[in-house]
PDB file of all heavy atoms in Angstrom:
ATOM      1  N   GLY A  31     -14.068  11.860  10.689  1.00 74.00           N
ATOM      2  CA  GLY A  31     -15.198  12.628  10.153  1.00 74.00           C
ATOM      3  C   GLY A  31     -14.861  14.089  10.154  1.00 74.00           C
ATOM      4  O   GLY A  31     -13.988  14.545  10.914  1.00 74.00           O
ATOM      5  N   ILE A  59     -11.496  20.929  -8.122  1.00 91.00           N
ATOM      6  CA  ILE A  59     -11.398  22.373  -8.409  1.00 91.00           C
ATOM      7  C   ILE A  59     -10.625  22.491  -9.702  1.00 91.00           C
ATOM      8  O   ILE A  59      -9.437  22.209  -9.746  1.00 91.00           O
ATOM      9  CB  ILE A  59     -10.704  23.121  -7.217  1.00 91.00           C
ATOM     10  CG1 ILE A  59     -11.517  22.902  -5.943  1.00 91.00           C
ATOM     11  CG2 ILE A  59     -10.463  24.552  -7.540  1.00 91.00           C
ATOM     12  CD1 ILE A  59     -10.897  23.496  -4.704  1.00 91.00           C
ATOM     13  N   LYS A  72       6.353  30.969 -11.446  1.00 83.00           N
ATOM     14  CA  LYS A  72       6.547  32.076 -10.545  1.00 83.00           C
ATOM     15  C   LYS A  72       7.173  31.600  -9.261  1.00 83.00           C
ATOM     16  O   LYS A  72       8.044  32.229  -8.726  1.00 83.00           O
ATOM     17  CB  LYS A  72       5.195  32.760 -10.232  1.00 83.00           C
ATOM     18  CG  LYS A  72       4.665  33.634 -11.291  1.00 83.00           C
ATOM     19  CD  LYS A  72       3.332  34.224 -10.857  1.00 83.00           C
ATOM     20  CE  LYS A  72       2.624  34.857 -12.015  1.00 83.00           C
ATOM     21  NZ  LYS A  72       1.237  35.352 -11.592  1.00 83.00           N
ATOM     22  N   THR A 113     -14.360  11.312 -11.221  1.00 85.00           N
ATOM     23  CA  THR A 113     -15.216  10.685 -10.229  1.00 85.00           C
ATOM     24  C   THR A 113     -15.722  11.641  -9.148  1.00 85.00           C
ATOM     25  O   THR A 113     -16.452  11.222  -8.260  1.00 85.00           O
ATOM     26  CB  THR A 113     -14.534   9.470  -9.620  1.00 85.00           C
ATOM     27  OG1 THR A 113     -13.431   9.904  -8.859  1.00 85.00           O
ATOM     28  CG2 THR A 113     -14.103   8.499 -10.656  1.00 85.00           C
ATOM     29  N   THR A 136     -10.606  35.292  -6.313  1.00 96.00           N
ATOM     30  CA  THR A 136      -9.815  35.118  -5.135  1.00 96.00           C
ATOM     31  C   THR A 136     -10.046  33.727  -4.515  1.00 96.00           C
ATOM     32  O   THR A 136     -10.958  32.999  -4.877  1.00 96.00           O
ATOM     33  CB  THR A 136     -10.228  36.130  -3.998  1.00 96.00           C
ATOM     34  OG1 THR A 136     -11.592  35.864  -3.635  1.00 96.00           O
ATOM     35  CG2 THR A 136     -10.116  37.572  -4.547  1.00 96.00           C
ATOM     36  N   GLU A 149     -22.973  22.080   0.322  1.00 94.00           N
ATOM     37  CA  GLU A 149     -24.292  22.259   0.875  1.00 94.00           C
ATOM     38  C   GLU A 149     -25.265  21.534  -0.052  1.00 94.00           C
ATOM     39  O   GLU A 149     -26.143  20.778   0.527  1.00 94.00           O
ATOM     40  CB  GLU A 149     -24.663  23.698   0.969  1.00 94.00           C
ATOM     41  CG  GLU A 149     -26.101  23.942   1.517  1.00 94.00           C
ATOM     42  CD  GLU A 149     -26.478  25.392   1.623  1.00 94.00           C
ATOM     43  OE1 GLU A 149     -26.018  26.218   0.813  1.00 94.00           O
ATOM     44  OE2 GLU A 149     -27.229  25.701   2.501  1.00 94.00           O
TER      45      GLU A 149
END
Side-chain angles (χ1 to χ4, degrees):
I59 299 176
K72 285 179 192 175
T113 65
T136 66
E149 181 180 32

